[in-house]
Amino acid sequence: MFNKQGEKAEFETIIGPSVKVEGDFIGEGNVIVEGLVNGNLHTTQHVVVTERAKIAANIVAGSAKIAGQVTGNVKVTDRLELASTAKVAGDIEAAMLAIEAGARFNGKCTMVEGANK
């Protein structure tokens, strides 16, 4: 995984494919979700939701890339990417939004001024 400057991004937390998190997850670092999360997910940094991940939670992050399934609202202060395999059922709030062909999104989208003015 690389950041905007092409440097390798470090992930502080990885929720593996066999892990199920019940309740709120709050952190400050980059997070990868490969398993299940039921509750809320909050970080000031980057969140990656992989293709096999299933999240029934609201997500608040600095930025995010979603390739899996999210049932809940997604609020990022910078960029949100929905991969072609993404399924999002909930409202989105982001400064920038990129949606690949094939992604499914049911909800409303609000574009806000964020980190990259």
Side-chain angles (χ1 to χ4, degrees), residues 29-81:
N30 296 322
V31 178
I32 295 178
V33 180
E34 297 176 328
L36 305 174
V37 176
N38 292 315
N40 292 303
L41 176 60
H42 184 277
T43 183
T44 58
Q45 299 298 311
H46 189 64
V47 172
V48 174
V49 179
T50 64
E51 198 170 323
R52 295 187 300 173
K54 292 185 180 178
I55 298 179
N58 293 322
I59 298 173
V60 177
S63 61
K65 180 169 184 177
I66 298 174
Q69 182 177 325
V70 175
T71 303
N73 298 329
V74 180
K75 181 178 180 178
V76 298
T77 55
D78 194 16
R79 181 182 172 94
L80 173 63
E81 296 179 48

Side-chain angles (χ1 to χ4, degrees), residues 20-26 37-41 56-57:
K20 181 176 183 180
V21 174
E22 292 280 347
D24 295 344
F25 180 91
I26 300 171
V37 176
N38 292 315
N40 292 303
L41 176 60

Side-chain angles (χ1 to χ4, degrees), residues 2-15:
F2 294 90
N3 63 19
K4 292 178 193 172
Q5 290 79 30
E7 302 164 346
K8 188 164 176 74
E10 296 295 324
F11 284 88
E12 184 175 277
T13 304
I14 299 174
I15 300 171

Side-chain angles (χ1 to χ4, degrees), residues 96-110:
M96 293 182 287
L97 177 62
I99 302 176
E100 290 183 4
R104 296 186 180 263
F105 164 57
N106 290 304
K108 65 181 180 178
C109 178
T110 304

